[in-house]
């Protein structure tokens, strides 16, 4: 069974006198509400909503959670309707709860209907739920705000939205209408997962990198929640700040089973008995509704259901594999290029030298290079004894020539020199054909 451990913290911030945020830590449901309205109506709205959610007796399913939030909406709406001083009040509500996934409402994957426990995430407004898993922080919910709508329509970048003067205008909240649209998601929980539920007073002051760093550093959920509130105040504290951190401390070996399933590619579905009674109440549970004060805002959702996350994990796995393959190909390419350069240097050059009693043209480097030994290309048709004394040393060492044509020209010049020294008429320097190895025998 899934066991959770939760911690929470809330603070009015450094500007507002009243904390209109509220939080609920009452296993198996955890929530944050950010109230809005004149005077003290905002804190009433958030408290009424969470009290109603807590009191609602709903089935531990996603639909049950939606039912509880609808009850909370009605409770706020009726108070606002019946008490003139509370007219117009509303609140965001973002909740996570342990539920049983008992229906096959998913996208067709069998694992959606296995009856196992899930973490349901529900959202109305601009508070947020995040999942911190494997060191990465992922926003699960999608803000219900004017600026988010503009971002969705490509009229604003997320960076512009973060500092937009109208970023606090919410497009959806509890208590405004008798009915409310609720975004929900289901996440398969694994040991080590941390769910963060918070009001906008946190993420408007502390960027996600710093939030993740705190969740990475502080294992105790209470410590983490308090530190996040402290950082939000340090960043300005311009709004009420409320943070609930919910840790998955036992997943009934689901993580191990999921690893096996992932390794086997298509993931398997182990149908297990629903164990609703087993919502173990883990460690210290701060119970009850706490109030904090707000400035209205409501967040929307855009979470990844567990199935999508698994597919993403598999895609990531494949990406890693391709990276490895590309890296190996790159290494092989570099090695091939280096080998080619060595081969070119060692083999693609010529020199003229003595071969016993004769002069010959060789391919390679005089004396060889690395493992490339020079090879005889053709004899020059000149005897060693004919070579002028001035050229003997050079031919002993081997006269480098870039190409076979240059080597042949060198031989031709050598023949011309011999003819001249020998008193004969100067030979043309461009002829003096060499004798190829195949057609030649000896010289004299
Ligand atoms: Mg707020």
């Amino acid at each position: 069974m899934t066991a959770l451990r939760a911690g929470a913290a809330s603070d009015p911030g450094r500007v507002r006198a009243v904390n209109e945020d509220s939080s609920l830590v009452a296993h198996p449901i955890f929530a944050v509400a950010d109230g809005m309205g004149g005077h003290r109506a905002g804190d009433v709205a958030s408290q009424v909503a969470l009290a109603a959610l807590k009191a609602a007796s709903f089935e531990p399913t996603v639909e049950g959670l939606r039912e509880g939030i609808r009850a909370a909406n009605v409770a706020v709406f009726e108070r606002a309707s019946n008490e003139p001083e509370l007219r117009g009040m509303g609140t965001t509500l973002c909740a996570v709860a342990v539920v049983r996934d008992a229906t096959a409402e998913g996208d067709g994957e069998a694992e959606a209907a296995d009856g196992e426990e899930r973490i349901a995430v529900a959202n109305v407004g601009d508070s947020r739920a995040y999942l911190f898993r494997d060191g990465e922080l992922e926003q699960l919910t999608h803000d219900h705000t004017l600026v988010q709508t503009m971002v969705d329509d490509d009229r604003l970048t997320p960076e512009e939205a973060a500092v937009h003067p109208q970023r606090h205008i919410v497009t959806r909240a509890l208590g405004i209408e008798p009915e409310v649209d609720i975004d929900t998601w289901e996440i398969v929980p694994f040991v080590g997962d941390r769910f963060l539920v918070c009001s906008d007073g946190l993420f408007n002051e502390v960027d996600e990198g710093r939030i993740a760093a705190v969740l990475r550093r502080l294992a105790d959920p209470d410590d983490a929640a308090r530190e996040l509130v402290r950082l939000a105040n340090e960043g300005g504290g311009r709004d009420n700040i409320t943070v609930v951190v919910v840790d998955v401390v036992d997943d009934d070996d689901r993580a191990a089973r999921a690893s096996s399933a992932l390794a086997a590619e298509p993931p398997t579905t182990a149908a297990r008995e629903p164990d609703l009674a087993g919502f173990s109440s883990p460690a210290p549970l701060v119970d009850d509704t706490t109030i904090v004060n707000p400035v209205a805002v409501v967040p929307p959702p855009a979470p990844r259901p567990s199935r999508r996350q698994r597919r993403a994990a598999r895609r990531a796995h494949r990406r890693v594999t391709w990276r490895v393959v590309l890296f190996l190909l790159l290494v092989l390419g570099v090695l091939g290029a280096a080998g080619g350069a060595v081969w070119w240097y060692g083999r693609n050059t010529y020199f003229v030298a003595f071969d016993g009693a004769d002069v010959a043209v060789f391919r390679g480097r005089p004396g060889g290079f690395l493992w490339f030994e020079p090879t005889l290309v053709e004899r020059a048709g000149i005897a060693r004894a004919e070579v002028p004394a001035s050229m003997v040393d050079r031919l002993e060492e081997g006269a480098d020539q870039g190409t076979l044509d240059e080597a042949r020209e060198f031989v031709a010049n050598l023949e011309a020199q011999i003819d001249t020294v020998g008193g004969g008429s100067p030979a043309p320097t461009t002829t003096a054909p060499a004798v190829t190895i195949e057609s030649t025998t000896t010289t004299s």
Side-chain angles (χ1 to χ4, degrees), residues 148-212:
Q148 183 61 55
T149 302
M150 294 169 76
V151 170
D152 294 342
D153 293 344
D154 289 330
R155 287 185 287 155
L156 218 57
T157 67
E159 294 72 26
E160 290 168 340
V163 296
H164 197 283
Q166 294 181 307
R167 64 184 179 279
H168 296 295
I169 297 179
V170 296
T171 54
R172 214 189 285 183
L174 265 62
I176 309 302
E177 300 286 343
E179 294 186 353
V180 65
D181 288 334
I182 305 163
D183 295 334
T184 55
W185 301 266
E186 266 185 272
I187 310 293
V188 177
F190 296 105
V191 161
D193 284 352
R194 310 192 87 174
F195 289 87
L196 167 67
V197 187
C198 60
S199 61
D200 61 340
L202 174 65
F203 56 80
N204 281 337
E205 302 289 9
V206 186
D207 65 47
E208 293 185 2
R210 297 179 73 203
I211 293 174

Side-chain angles (χ1 to χ4, degrees), residues 16 21 34-35 92 126-127 168 199-202 204 239-241 293-297:
R16 300 180 187 277
D21 285 355
D34 182 343
T92 74
D126 71 347
S127 298
H168 296 295
S199 61
D200 61 340
L202 174 65
N204 281 337
D239 194 359
N240 307 144
I241 311 141
N293 99 42
V295 170
V297 191

Side-chain angles (χ1 to χ4, degrees), residues 4 14 21 24 75 85 95 98-99 103 197 232 279 326 333 356 375 409:
L4 306 176
R14 299 170 62 183
D21 285 355
L24 174 67
E85 68 274 19
V98 180
V99 299
T103 65
V197 187
F279 292 149
L326 287 174
T375 54
E409 188 175 346

Side-chain angles (χ1 to χ4, degrees), residues 20 27 67 118 151 213 226 232 272 281 303 318 364 366 378 422 425:
E20 295 181 312
H27 201 285
E67 199 57 49
R118 300 283 188 267
V151 170
R226 280 193 293 265
R272 298 199 310 141
S281 42
R318 285 195 286 272
E378 60 192 18
S425 56

Side-chain angles (χ1 to χ4, degrees), residues 3 61 98 100 166 226 265 270 278-279 291 338 344 367 386 413 430 432:
T61 61
V98 180
R100 179 188 69 240
Q166 294 181 307
R226 280 193 293 265
E265 248 337 51
F279 292 149
I291 302 145
W344 188 91
E386 298 177 280
N413 285 332
T430 52

Side-chain angles (χ1 to χ4, degrees), residues 126 235 257 288 395 418:
D126 71 347
R257 287 184 283 118
D288 254 339
L395 291 182
I418 291 168

Side-chain angles (χ1 to χ4, degrees), residues 258-298:
S259 296
S260 307
L262 272 179
E265 248 337 51
T268 58
T269 305
R272 298 199 310 141
E273 278 302 307
D275 185 7
L276 293 185
F279 292 149
S280 69
S281 42
L285 286 182
V286 187
D287 194 276
D288 254 339
T289 320
T290 331
I291 302 145
V292 204
N293 99 42
V295 170
V297 191
V298 186

